[in-house]
Amino acid sequence: LVVIHHTIIRSSNMKVFLRYEENDDESTHKTLKITLPKSWKTGPTSRLLDQFVESYNGGKEGEANPLDASTLHLSIRRPASTTVRTSSASADNGATVLKELPSDGIIVETIEDRDDVYVCHGPSLTSTEMNAERQAKIDKEKEEKKNLSQCVHFGCNNRFPKGGPYPDCKYHSGPPVFHETAKFWSCCPDKKAYDWEGFQCLPTCQSGTCTDVKEETTQKEFLGGCDLREQLNGGPKLKSIDDFNASIAAGGSEGAPVLERLRSVLGELGVENELFDQVFEGVKKEVREKNGVDCEDAKVLDEAAQMLGGKLKSAMKAIAVEQLRIS
């Protein structure tokens, strides 16, 4: 195994550490420190491999264990959570794996100054060959999943043949909560994580058997800040009497009281009620034409309210972009 230390800083003196350790006989291991010529930085990684093999075979290590560049490839360490093509060498502590570098990869784009690069057994692949291999793996997994079911329990990612047998299951009784930067399970609120990897490692609280039959429930797939506030306040926010009356007057439309308040607030900001009414009539006409209806019911009113909200949001974004451009 050869390690190349690298750090992508645009320094005039880029150094790499190539280390070969992929042999049980430690006397055949070698570390080579190279200060790269400027012209090498934009060259292919295969140049580093060739340089190492030449140096290795010219020394005492090569006498006992001659290397062939055509049967070797370069790798660097990266977090194990990232899906990459990995070499046979394992990570030191399970936190990282070796990511294979394409033989035609540009050195300065794939290797950082003073980082470690490993020389491993197995022929190198070009970027095109690696992409083709990766796509073939994805296609194979998709094909295999067609005959598999996934457990519907919260927090269980087990897959199993359709119809069983059903494996043992460790799961959560409640849905996940994603609130601001915190991530946790609603059934285990005292155990929180603040990144995805940590969240996936949170211990489960239930055990049983996997199932692919989803129970009839009104429970959400995940909860957010609004759901937490509702729970703290004893349930969803109650309508005011004005909101209730406005909704009834509009045939049960949930958007009617919101529109009434929006019309009032915009009026206080200098937007005439007549202008608001004109714009909203146009929006309602768009909704009726889109749905092919002539009448105006609560459904049309609610959809028009959503469309108006989207138009207002787009207008606000345009203002924000213009402000950034000016600044």
Side-chain angles (χ1 to χ4, degrees), residues 39-52 103 107:
S39 61
W40 281 37
K41 295 181 183 179
T42 55
T45 59
S46 58
R47 181 173 291 178
L48 291 175
L49 179 59
D50 291 340
Q51 178 64 36
F52 177 83
S103 58
I107 291 176

Side-chain angles (χ1 to χ4, degrees), residues 5 11 28-29 50 60 86 123 136 138 143 189 191 194 205 207 217-218 250 254 287 301 320 323:
H5 242 314
S11 163
T28 64
H29 294 181
D50 291 340
K60 61 180 182 180
T86 58
I138 292 173
E143 191 63 29
K191 299 173 183 177
Y194 295 89
C205 61
S207 61
T217 177
T218 58
E254 295 292 331
V287 173
L301 195 60
Q323 289 171 335

